[in-house]
Amino acid sequence: MGAYLSQPNTDKSAANGGNHKVSYGLAAMQGWRVSMEDAHNCIPELDEETAMFAVYDGHGGEEVALYCSKYLPDVIKEQKAYKEGKLQKALEDAFLAIDSRITTEEVIKELVQIAGRPLEEHTSEKVADEDDVDNEEAALLHEEATMTIEELLVRYGQNLSKMNKKPAQEASKEPDDSKNPEQEKGINGEIECTASKTDSNGKEKAAETEKAAEFSKIRACRKATASSGGSSGCGGSSKGEEAGATGDAGPSCSSSAAPAPGSTKSKFFDDSEESEDGEEEEEGSDEEDGSEEEGEESSENEEEDTEEEEEEDTDEEEEEMCLPGMDGKEEPGSDSGTTAVVALIRGKQLIVANAGDSRCVVSEKGKAVDMSYDHKPEDELELNRIKNAGGKVTMDGRVNGGLNLSRAIGDHFYKRNKNLPPEEQMISALPDVKVLTLNEDHDFMVVACDGIWNVMSSQEVVDFVNERLKAKGSDSKPLSAIVAELLDHCLAPDTSGDGTGCDNMTCMIVTFSPHAGTNVAENAKKRKPDEEVSEKNGNDSKKPKTE
């Protein structure tokens, strides 16, 4: 949903223009968003024969949208297919071409400048682990690498001094750990037997085992703490700890029995893992006497178990952290992108190319005709491509938990499968292209970002514009005024909902004749009464009359 302002920015940038073939009106508004990331093109004369209208809805920053609005018109005209009059192929090639340019160092530097990011920040080296998702995580790991075990435990809610503190009346019963070399406090305060430490090799093994176990649990604690929004729940003691504290535990005294009344069960491990550990530890606690060899075997088994747990944790982390689109450099064009819907008008041909969820709609005698298809990850065609490229779609309809659309220019985090061509990456820049032959029944088209289409359907927008064009007639009221009214209509009163009406909004109305109001009125007269009734009710078929 993104971050929102305390009050919406309703200032609008507006424009009107046209020539003897087309007229247009545009308005754009930031709304509730903290920044404006949309861009557009309104070019009645891309060349002597062609007009171009486009909307770009940026995400992760405005830079890719602004870059496309600046350069895509020329990139389209540069295409060989465009010079040959093959506009559909030219649009496909142009989308892929500008998307490829965004990966070059020269363009990245320009995007950095557009985004207003310092060049030093872009080029400086950062301390980070390969599995880190962002710089904050890297800084945290770097800081923790220089901390002692005790400091780490305190950070994640396991203050050793508090956990080892006993009531005054029990103090005399506690064994002096410094005088008993065969027992040491474990990571959760439990007593761990280290009988094998009398042997130098065994002592080293036990120390390594203890250290590995401690770090394994700290890592699990840190992961769980981060996932729970910073709340730490790594503390707590068990009956096994209490028994060990009073000296009742046997040689294998690293057991942790069922939680004592009032204590909380660790939420950082699966039930299966807990039950397995519990069974092993119970078996160990039944042994009341053990030799030095048994202690060594126990230490070796614990070390193997710890290594296996660490490997499992590592595998899980790699699966979670290394998905394409979830790691990589934070730079414009890699962690940012834009949708693009581009309409070319040449003679009687309307050619519309779309990548993303912005949309172009034509009014044909008052009926909405979609000239583009919203690209959403959960759609079968898009989903198959995403999976084939090694990605996945989460339950909330996002690619690898990130983007909620499946085609865009930029977003090269998601375009790193070297075995696939650009158009088959999980996020593809290849547009769908539709062609329409215009006639007198086509009144106008609306090109807008999803800030409009998330609030109103295609037909609702066409009806909204139609009503105002009819009332406008031959007045001098500009088309941009109708668009501005539409934006205000779509704006949410507050941000308490699901985000609908809180997005940036950019919209343009393009009429296929300078006298659009007259054409709309004439088309309205052509309609049969039954047609008007059915369209008003959102149904193309006639409704049977009731007696």
Side-chain angles (χ1 to χ4, degrees):
M1 289 178 50
Y4 298 132
L5 301 169
S6 57
Q7 293 294 327
N9 182 350
T10 57
D11 293 340
K12 300 175 183 65
S13 58
N16 294 277
N19 53 25
H20 65 285
K21 297 179 181 179
V22 295
S23 296
Y24 71 85
L26 162 83
M29 181 175 70
Q30 180 176 330
W32 287 99
R33 293 282 183 156
V34 296
S35 61
M36 181 61 171
E37 298 181 336
D38 292 353
H40 63 273
N41 290 123
C42 292
I43 310 174
E45 296 178 353
L46 182 65
D47 60 30
E48 295 180 355
E49 302 178 287
T50 314
M52 173 182 173
F53 301 93
V55 168
Y56 312 97
D57 185 354
H59 44 264
E62 63 182 354
E63 57 271 8
V64 180
L66 291 174
Y67 182 85
C68 286
S69 69
K70 182 178 180 180
Y71 293 104
L72 186 59
D74 289 334
V75 173
I76 292 173
K77 291 193 292 182
E78 290 170 3
Q79 302 306 309
K80 180 181 178 182
Y82 184 86
K83 297 173 182 178
E84 295 174 349
K86 303 174 183 178
L87 298 188
Q88 180 173 346
K89 181 69 164 58
L91 286 171
E92 293 175 349
D93 293 345
F95 273 52
L96 294 174
I98 198 168
D99 185 59
S100 178
R101 287 189 186 185
I102 290 174
T103 62
T104 64
E105 189 64 27
E106 181 180 356
V107 173
I108 291 173
K109 288 180 179 179
E110 183 172 354
L111 293 175
V112 169
Q113 293 177 336
I114 295 174
R117 306 186 191 183
L119 286 174
E120 302 80 41
E121 177 183 329
H122 171 62
T123 57
S124 62
E125 294 183 0
K126 301 176 179 62
V127 179
D129 188 271
E130 292 179 353
D131 293 334
D132 294 340
V133 178
D134 51 33
N135 293 329
E136 292 182 3
E137 178 73 4
L140 178 62
L141 289 175
H142 181 62
E143 180 184 356
E144 289 178 358
T146 62
M147 297 172 66
T148 65
I149 296 293
E150 289 75 12
E151 289 173 334
L152 287 171
L153 293 173
V154 171
R155 166 169 287 189
Y156 292 106
Q158 290 184 309
N159 192 318
L160 287 179
S161 62
K162 292 183 179 179
M163 294 176 61
N164 294 336
K165 189 175 181 180
K166 300 294 179 179
Q169 61 270 24
E170 295 183 9
S172 61
K173 299 180 181 180
E174 290 188 10
D176 187 349
D177 292 287
S178 63
K179 297 179 181 180
N180 186 357
E182 296 188 359
Q183 292 185 340
E184 290 187 1
K185 291 292 179 69
I187 194 166
N188 286 320
E190 72 271 20
I191 302 300
E192 293 188 354
C193 290
T194 55
S196 62
K197 292 185 180 181
T198 56
D199 178 73
S200 59
N201 294 330
K203 183 176 181 180
E204 291 177 0
K205 286 184 178 180
E208 291 175 359
T209 301
E210 182 178 1
K211 184 176 180 180
E214 289 173 346
F215 274 112
S216 177
K217 294 181 180 179
I218 287 171
R219 180 173 59 182
C221 181
R222 178 173 60 79
K223 287 172 59 180
T225 301
S227 65
S228 61
S231 61
S232 178
C234 299
S237 61
S238 66
K239 286 182 179 179
E241 294 169 8
E242 294 172 1
T246 56
D248 295 333
S252 298
C253 44
S254 60
S255 65
S256 101
S263 66
T264 56
K265 188 176 182 180
S266 173
K267 62 182 178 180
F268 304 127
F269 303 96
D270 294 335
D271 292 339
S272 60
E273 294 180 357
E274 290 177 351
S275 62
E276 290 175 1
D277 292 344
E279 290 173 1
E280 291 179 0
E281 290 166 352
E282 285 176 5
E283 291 175 3
S285 64
D286 291 338
E287 299 178 4
E288 296 181 356
D289 298 316
S291 65
E292 191 170 310
E293 294 178 357
E294 292 173 342
E296 291 177 356
E297 291 177 359
S298 176
S299 297
E300 291 175 358
N301 291 335
E302 289 176 3
E303 184 176 1
E304 291 176 358
D305 293 340
T306 301
E307 290 175 353
E308 291 177 359
E309 291 176 3
E310 288 179 342
E311 290 176 358
E312 292 175 359
D313 290 341
T314 302
D315 292 340
E316 292 175 359
E317 285 179 338
E318 290 177 352
E319 182 178 354
E320 294 172 3
M321 306 292 282
C322 295
L323 287 169
M326 298 299 287
D327 62 343
K329 292 185 293 185
E330 291 187 0
E331 63 182 14
S334 185
D335 65 349
S336 61
T338 184
T339 69
V341 56
V342 178
L344 298 181
I345 303 173
R346 176 177 287 184
K348 292 294 183 180
Q349 295 293 304
L350 171 64
I351 306 96
V352 179
N354 177 63
D357 54 6
S358 295
R359 192 182 305 173
C360 176
V361 178
V362 170
S363 171
E364 182 178 11
K365 295 175 63 176
K367 181 179 179 181
V369 178
D370 287 325
M371 288 298 297
S372 63
Y373 168 73
D374 296 353
H375 295 122
K376 293 297 185 181
E378 60 270 22
D379 295 334
E380 184 177 0
L381 180 64
E382 305 299 298
L383 181 60
N384 289 338
R385 187 189 71 251
I386 292 167
K387 289 182 176 179
N388 186 59
K392 67 177 182 180
V393 177
T394 53
M395 293 298 293
D396 57 351
R398 294 180 178 273
V399 180
N400 286 355
L403 290 180
N404 65 345
L405 48 85
S406 55
R407 299 197 196 188
I409 296 172
D411 296 308
H412 284 277
F413 269 8
Y414 301 84
K415 302 175 180 179
R416 296 179 292 132
N417 189 325
K418 296 181 180 179
N419 298 320
L420 296 174
E423 59 270 21
E424 295 180 17
Q425 299 292 329
M426 64 180 75
I427 298 295
S428 173
L430 181 69
D432 283 330
V433 184
K434 293 186 69 173
V435 180
L436 176 67
T437 301
L438 299 172
N439 57 48
E440 60 181 6
D441 291 336
H442 298 120
D443 308 316
F444 59 87
M445 72 176 176
V446 178
V447 185
C449 66
D450 68 334
I452 300 297
W453 308 115
N454 288 338
V455 180
M456 301 176 69
S457 68
S458 298
Q459 187 62 57
E460 287 172 340
V461 170
V462 166
D463 291 343
F464 186 97
V465 175
N466 257 319
E467 291 173 5
R468 284 148 185 82
L469 284 177
K470 290 177 190 177
K472 172 179 176 286
S474 59
D475 289 348
S476 59
K477 185 177 181 181
L479 290 171
S480 63
I482 298 176
V483 181
E485 190 177 347
L486 177 63
L487 302 190
D488 289 334
H489 179 77
C490 292
L491 183 67
D494 54 56
T495 59
S496 61
D498 60 358
T500 301
C502 299
D503 204 352
N504 298 149
M505 298 182 191
T506 298
C507 179
M508 61 184 69
I509 300 171
V510 181
T511 64
F512 304 120
S513 168
H515 308 290
T518 304
N519 285 352
V520 171
E522 290 176 354
N523 280 334
K525 292 177 182 178
K526 293 178 184 178
R527 295 189 214 172
K528 299 177 182 179
D530 287 336
E531 280 183 314
E532 292 183 349
V533 172
S534 63
E535 288 174 10
K536 194 171 184 180
N537 287 279
N539 188 346
D540 292 335
S541 60
K542 294 182 180 180
K543 290 189 175 183
K545 296 181 179 179
T546 56
E547 295 183 359

